[in-house]
Amino acid sequence: MPALQAPAAQRVRPVLLVVALLLAVGSYQLNNTMIAPANPQIIAGLGTTTAAIGFAQTLFFLVSAIASVVVTRLSDWVGRRRALLAVLGVMILGEALCAVATSDAVYIAGRAISGSSGAVFAFAFLILRETMTLGGFSKALAIIAAIKSGVGGFESVAGGAIADFLGFRGVFWFMIAFTCVAAVVARFAIPETRAAERQRLDWPGSITISLGFTGVLTALSQGGTWGWGDVRTLGFLIGGLVFLALFPIVERRQPQPLMDASRLASRRSWPLLATNVLVLAGAFSATGFVVPLLSQSANGGFGMSATMSALLYVMPVSTVGFLVAPIAGWLAPRVGWRALLVGGLGATTVAMVVLPLFAGNPVVVFAIIVVLGGFYTGLVLTSLDGLGVLLSPPDAPGSLTGLNTAAFGIGASLGTAVTSTVISQISGGKTGNIAGFTGALWVCAGLVLAGLLVSLLIPRDGVGVVEGENAVRTS
């Protein structure tokens, strides 16, 4: 496959480029977290149910995972900026549907369409790598990656304020305005990179992996509602796994595949993807699902309000990570992204083991959450994103980056599904108790430990120690 052609380094304005990419990924992040406080209004205003709104969010992440693979790979052929602007345009369409929706069907469709924005993080990382020196790339990527954990949690507060004063539709109109600004800035600040010759999209591979993700993610997200032994859950899960197993076979038959099957099986691909899934399944579900439930539970938990729980046990993960991520960008060119990942994972694993040992102590849990904000959110997530770009094959840079971005959502869905089942089984009910929460946290610790062990298989070469600092990647 031909290599992407990068623009000359002197035509790139790094500060303006980073601002444009921050606005683009910020558009996705707002769609991800800003609407959460408005969900009660959405349910009441559309006369719908919590299950329907939950299904809309499931579709958002499902389409996001698919777009992370297919649309990112498509950008190898049509150009990064062109694909990014197209995704932002589709995102605006989805937001507009939600803003004017008068039924849950229209709202669900809007959220599904907005999910195509999931590719923006992969676009941002690839654009940085193709236009900056390795040292500049590391620092800029850390800034962009920090948005993955949210903007310090402030976007949720802003979403609640807008919903209180303007209603839930006001939240979507705000996001439309934000995305429009992002699109305009991106058009003028981001240089185009394109393939040396036009190629065809791998439709068989795209359809196969899309059906695989649809089956697995639908089963994981709906299994708690349908029942894990329900024929629908098993049907989606088995069907999804079959299509994912067929994906390498289909790719071997394609002249220009989404991902070369031999590369997918190499140590430059599968250890990174497996690490991402395992770490997200353990750390994300612990910080984003189990601990918030524990802090609000009156049945052996801390009995806190939702607001106090968010301030003490949710917001620190985002805030501390946002502050630490730039440090990762400064360290990576000096020690390498792999070393940063393994070191951050080591500290994360220790914290994850301490967490269930002191699950009943709110002070210790708060301290561990702060530690995880620094090491897991700040170092590990940033390192995983960096490696997803640096380990990508030069002639198909969007392939591994897209899969690595999708692995984020797969791991989060997997972890939530597993921990919710553990809590329910141990607690003997839906509300959960301290034994159930502790058991779930031990499972989370085990998943992170497994991720640490798999990360040791990631190759050491070509993973971010600066060599030829002034070189811009052009192949």
Side-chain angles (χ1 to χ4, degrees):
M1 294 181 191
L4 283 176
Q5 300 302 303
Q10 61 268 23
R11 292 185 298 189
V12 177
R13 299 179 179 177
V15 174
L16 188 56
L17 175 64
V18 171
V19 169
L21 294 176
L22 278 172
L23 289 172
V25 299
S27 299
Y28 171 81
Q29 192 60 36
L30 292 183
N31 273 271
N32 185 9
T33 58
M34 194 173 189
I35 66 170
N39 279 336
Q41 285 192 22
I42 296 172
I43 294 170
L46 299 181
T48 187
T49 64
T50 301
I53 299 304
F55 180 63
Q57 192 71 347
T58 296
L59 282 180
F60 175 83
F61 285 115
L62 173 59
V63 176
S64 178
I66 294 172
S68 295
V69 178
V70 178
V71 181
T72 302
R73 186 68 176 99
L74 182 62
S75 75
D76 279 352
W77 304 324
V78 304
R80 306 284 185 225
R81 185 179 64 185
R82 181 182 297 179
L84 175 60
L85 292 175
V87 165
L88 292 176
V90 174
M91 193 194 312
I92 292 171
L93 172 61
E95 292 166 341
L97 283 176
C98 293
V100 302
T102 56
S103 68
D104 56 2
V106 175
Y107 178 81
I108 290 171
R111 289 297 289 158
I113 291 172
S114 297
S116 63
S117 58
V120 296
F121 274 103
F123 289 157
F125 301 147
L126 289 168
I127 289 168
L128 291 175
R129 188 67 189 103
E130 292 158 357
T131 58
M132 288 187 167
T133 63
L134 184 52
F137 160 77
S138 299
K139 295 172 184 176
L141 178 138
I143 296 172
I144 301 295
I147 303 295
K148 257 191 175 180
S149 60
V151 189
F154 297 113
E155 72 274 24
S156 295
V157 177
I162 293 173
D164 287 340
F165 285 98
L166 301 175
F168 78 87
R169 299 182 193 279
V171 176
F172 287 99
W173 287 118
F174 175 85
M175 290 194 296
I176 289 171
F178 190 99
T179 308
C180 287
V181 172
V184 171
V185 176
R187 170 63 182 81
F188 293 101
I190 299 176
E192 183 63 282
T193 54
R194 62 180 71 252
E197 63 183 64
R198 190 174 297 276
Q199 304 173 46
R200 294 181 179 179
L201 178 63
D202 172 18
W203 286 109
S206 299
I207 293 172
T208 302
I209 199 167
S210 296
L211 290 174
F213 280 156
T214 299
V216 172
L217 291 179
T218 300
L220 292 176
S221 61
Q222 299 298 109
T225 302
W226 294 341
W228 295 107
D230 187 272
V231 64
R232 292 170 293 181
T233 304
L234 295 176
F236 273 102
L237 180 60
I238 294 172
L241 291 174
V242 168
F243 277 109
L244 289 179
L246 287 173
F247 178 65
I249 300 174
V250 171
E251 292 300 87
R252 290 191 184 97
R253 300 173 180 268
Q254 304 307 310
Q256 297 166 347
L258 279 177
M259 181 71 181
D260 188 291
S262 62
R263 286 172 172 166
L264 190 60
S266 76
R267 281 186 56 191
R268 296 186 69 84
S269 298
W270 75 262
L272 174 65
L273 298 175
T275 299
N276 204 340
V277 170
L278 289 168
V279 172
L280 265 295
F284 177 87
S285 57
T287 58
F289 182 68
V290 181
V291 170
L293 287 178
L294 167 67
S295 63
Q296 295 179 60
S297 174
N299 188 20
F302 307 153
M304 293 180 173
S305 66
T307 301
M308 186 60 67
S309 170
L311 288 172
L312 293 179
Y313 298 106
V314 177
M315 197 170 177
V317 176
S318 175
T319 304
V320 177
F322 190 78
L323 295 173
V324 171
I327 299 175
W330 177 79
L331 282 173
R334 293 160 173 79
V335 302
W337 285 107
R338 180 190 182 276
L340 199 64
L341 171 65
V342 173
L345 266 178
T348 298
T349 302
V350 172
M352 291 293 297
V353 170
V354 173
L355 190 55
L357 291 174
F358 296 91
N361 189 317
V363 175
V364 175
V365 172
F366 171 77
I368 294 299
I369 287 297
V370 172
V371 171
L372 289 174
F375 287 100
Y376 155 63
T377 308
L379 298 187
V380 172
L381 292 186
T382 306
S383 300
L384 288 169
D385 287 331
L387 288 168
V389 178
L390 294 172
L391 292 174
S392 291
D395 56 352
S399 55
L400 181 58
T401 305
L403 285 170
N404 194 48
T405 303
F408 185 100
I410 295 171
S413 299
L414 173 63
T416 302
V418 171
T419 52
S420 62
T421 301
V422 170
I423 292 171
S424 178
Q425 291 294 321
I426 296 179
S427 302
K430 296 182 178 180
T431 57
N433 57 28
I434 187 64
F437 298 134
T438 302
L441 290 174
W442 277 119
V443 171
C444 291
L447 289 168
V448 173
L449 175 60
L452 170 61
L453 296 177
V454 174
S455 73
L456 299 177
L457 298 176
I458 295 174
R460 298 174 181 272
D461 60 303
V463 289
V465 176
V466 172
E467 296 175 1
E469 169 64 19
N470 295 321
V472 175
R473 184 176 183 176
T474 58
S475 63

